[in-house]
Amino acid sequence: MKKWLPLIIIVILVFAGYRMVVGFNNTAVKLNEEISQSWGNVETTYQRRNDLIGNLVKTVQGAADFEKATLTEVINARAKATSVNIDISNATPQQLVAFNNAQGGLNSALSKLLVAVERYPDLKANQNFLKLQDELASTENQVLTARTRFNEAIKPYNNHIKTFPNLIFAKWFGFEEKPYFEAVKGAEKPVDVNFDFNKKK
């Protein structure tokens, strides 16, 4: 029996190591999938916002004398925001910063557009515009929620791959730390899409 004891111990240690490695990998894969799903929700809410802004621009374009420079700025900012795509499985902090900056540029241009609308009573009374404005306000809240949930999905994943001995396995399997979604400067203030339409000029 004694001669088999070292072999039994080796087999037990190998099995325990195998279970540990498999457990690490399976958990990391599951947490990574949750991150991908959360990022998909972020992209979906931003896409909805971009679609609403496109419709808002079309509605505003109906006002013949509306400031063309303001519209052009929104159209260009929207095009830039939709052109920044991220593969979240390989995302870097720099890519998220570029994404945030593009969305922040669109926020700024949209704010100018909505302020300019104040000078156009017909636009302010346009039912299409009012409906789009309400939907946009609702979507801004959805964007905030989606970003928050994305960050909530990042935390357990990063904790899982950065703790010992998991960080050793993470290097073997190629699991890397994911960047958090950080707001751009001034993004803590949502786009103001509410006006007092009964205010007299």
Side-chain angles (χ1 to χ4, degrees):
M1 182 65 182
K2 285 185 178 179
K3 68 177 182 180
W4 295 106
L5 189 59
L7 182 60
I8 291 170
I9 292 173
I10 290 171
V11 168
I12 290 172
L13 289 175
V14 168
F15 181 72
Y18 171 78
R19 289 294 301 272
M20 185 183 293
V21 170
V22 169
F24 163 79
N25 185 69
N26 290 347
T27 301
V29 168
K30 179 182 175 184
L31 293 173
N32 197 37
E33 283 302 308
E34 289 177 8
I35 290 171
S36 296
Q37 180 183 9
S38 296
W39 181 251
N41 292 338
V42 168
E43 290 182 317
T44 299
T45 53
Y46 272 118
Q47 183 60 54
R48 173 173 166 73
R49 185 181 77 150
N50 289 333
D51 291 344
L52 287 171
I53 290 172
N55 291 334
L56 195 69
V57 166
K58 288 177 185 175
T59 301
V60 171
Q61 280 176 327
D65 58 342
F66 193 82
E67 291 95 332
K68 289 183 180 178
T70 304
L71 276 173
T72 300
E73 187 176 348
V74 173
I75 291 167
N76 290 341
R78 180 175 175 264
K80 184 176 180 182
T82 56
S83 71
V84 180
N85 297 310
I86 295 177
D87 175 7
I88 202 60
S89 62
N90 300 309
T92 64
Q94 293 79 16
Q95 289 174 319
L96 279 183
V97 166
F99 182 87
N100 283 342
N101 288 341
Q103 298 300 333
L106 181 54
N107 278 353
S108 175
L110 180 61
S111 294
K112 291 177 185 175
L113 172 73
L114 295 174
V115 168
V117 166
E118 279 288 274
R119 296 191 290 272
Y120 295 82
D122 289 345
L123 265 178
K124 292 198 304 178
N126 183 302
Q127 291 303 310
N128 240 2
F129 181 83
L130 294 174
K131 182 182 176 185
L132 287 167
Q133 192 178 43
D134 287 342
E135 288 183 27
L136 191 57
S138 173
T139 302
E140 287 297 329
N141 291 329
Q142 292 173 25
V143 165
L144 176 61
T145 299
R147 291 186 306 202
T148 301
R149 289 179 179 166
F150 171 74
N151 281 348
E152 288 171 352
I154 290 282
K155 185 177 180 180
Y157 170 85
N158 281 348
N159 285 341
H160 180 67
I161 67 163
K162 289 168 71 177
T163 54
F164 185 83
N166 290 356
L167 57 90
I168 297 170
F169 303 143
K171 289 179 182 177
W172 288 350
F173 289 105
F175 289 104
E176 296 181 359
E177 182 180 357
K178 304 281 187 188
Y180 285 95
F181 193 109
E182 296 180 3
V184 292
K185 187 177 180 181
E188 69 278 2
K189 299 175 182 177
V191 176
D192 185 5
V193 293
N194 296 309
F195 294 100
D196 181 3
F197 289 114
N198 295 317
K199 184 174 67 179
K200 294 183 179 178
K201 296 285 182 185

